[in-house]
Amino acid sequence: MSSQILYVTDPLCLWCYGMAPDLEAFYATLPSDIYCETINGGLFPAKNARVADKSFRNYLKGAAQQVTEYTGQIFGDSFWSLLETPNFRYDTEPSARASVAIKHLLNEASMRSFIHDLQRAVFIEGKNPNDTEVLADIAVQQGADREGFVTLFNDSKNTIETHKEYMQAKQIGVTGFPAVIYIANNKGYSLATGYSRKDMLINNLLWARKEAGQTPIDINKDLFRKNSATLSCDSNGCSV
């Protein structure tokens, strides 16, 4: 393939949730010759899961307030109630494994749709992302067979594939999410290192294609420079 958009995310990343509408609007503008791929970067997976104590909850509330202010994406009271569940762990691995299973059972677009639907279920409705039945319900909404999803979700090979995605993200130098990279002629061009609006993504893509010797056109370079501020989530938490 000649060119590709690589989206590095985590289903439970607050800023990824914030950017979801802009991301899909951006994808809708892409020419058909650009292949799109989504991988999980691994925010707080498994042994790195965070205990949702008062300090962590207050921290997330600060980050969520920023996400809503910048993007308009809301967080429901049920989400904060979920975090107050005794011994609740903010473990991003089940959600990542589920998204990988959907990618293999269905397709790339369904994986992104699954992630967006899961984010709304968790951040607005307060559904538990550690509950296999919750994940299966959303998988069925995407058109997956419930039994087939649960079987693949629990398969060790699916876990290995998920961990390979984490490693791929690290190998290309991505440590914060969301991240969007344009790949052409075996070179990568950063379109977003953190939250970016649709117009920023479009302008940055035009810049990247020009740098890659494709479709040489003029762009707003000032807008590109304004996109340098990082509003993202990483292993230390989310920007506030």
Side-chain angles (χ1 to χ4, degrees):
M1 67 192 69
S2 59
S3 56
Q4 173 185 358
I5 295 286
L6 179 65
Y7 176 49
V8 187
T9 185
D10 186 284
L12 299 185
C13 158
L14 274 63
W15 282 107
C16 300
Y17 165 60
M19 196 171 82
D22 283 284
L23 182 72
E24 290 307 314
F26 167 64
Y27 278 142
T29 71
L30 295 177
S32 59
D33 66 322
I34 297 181
Y35 171 74
C36 297
E37 181 182 7
T38 300
I39 65 172
N40 289 277
L43 184 55
F44 303 127
K47 65 180 182 180
N48 295 320
R50 302 289 290 271
V51 176
D53 55 19
K54 185 176 181 179
S55 176
F56 184 67
R57 294 197 303 272
N58 287 340
Y59 169 74
L60 282 184
K61 285 181 179 180
Q65 183 177 355
Q66 286 286 86
V67 171
T68 300
E69 179 181 338
Y70 272 83
T71 74
Q73 294 280 73
I74 64 172
F75 296 80
D77 291 339
S78 296
F79 172 56
W80 306 115
S81 297
L82 168 68
L83 297 183
E84 292 177 357
T85 303
N87 302 315
F88 182 81
R89 291 172 61 81
Y90 201 84
D91 183 357
T92 62
E93 178 131 327
S95 300
R97 285 168 43 207
S99 70
V100 172
I102 288 295
K103 177 161 57 175
H104 286 283
L105 289 171
L106 300 175
N107 52 49
E108 164 68 28
S110 295
M111 178 190 188
R112 292 200 314 273
S113 178
F114 173 87
I115 290 174
H116 298 334
D117 285 352
L118 174 61
Q119 288 168 341
R120 286 188 287 268
V122 175
F123 295 136
I124 299 177
E125 301 172 23
K127 298 291 181 66
N128 187 347
N130 300 329
D131 187 335
T132 303
E133 292 304 308
V134 168
L135 299 173
D137 286 344
I138 301 172
V140 170
Q141 293 172 12
Q142 306 304 316
D145 172 74
R146 189 182 197 90
E147 183 177 350
F149 168 79
V150 172
T151 298
L152 183 55
F153 172 76
N154 289 319
D155 193 319
S156 61
K157 293 181 180 179
N158 188 65
T159 301
I160 291 172
E161 288 300 313
T162 304
H163 292 172
K164 285 182 179 179
E165 291 193 356
Y166 298 164
M167 184 60 65
Q168 181 183 354
K170 290 179 180 178
Q171 288 174 341
I172 60 179
V174 174
T175 58
F177 322 110
V180 183
I181 301 166
Y182 180 67
I183 302 172
N185 303 321
N186 295 317
K187 292 183 179 181
Y189 304 85
S190 177
L191 304 187
T193 53
Y195 167 72
S196 291
R197 302 191 311 268
K198 171 191 171 184
D199 58 343
M200 291 177 171
L201 290 168
I202 291 173
N203 273 275
N204 292 350
L205 175 61
L206 298 180
W207 162 82
R209 286 176 72 91
K210 184 176 181 180
E211 289 292 303
Q214 301 173 319
T215 316
I217 54 178
D218 293 328
I219 61 166
N220 187 338
K221 294 183 179 179
D222 288 333
L223 180 59
F224 176 72
R225 285 195 292 270
K226 290 176 184 177
N227 193 28
S228 60
T230 301
L231 296 172
S232 63
C233 297
D234 59 26
S235 60
N236 295 314
C238 297
S239 302
V240 294

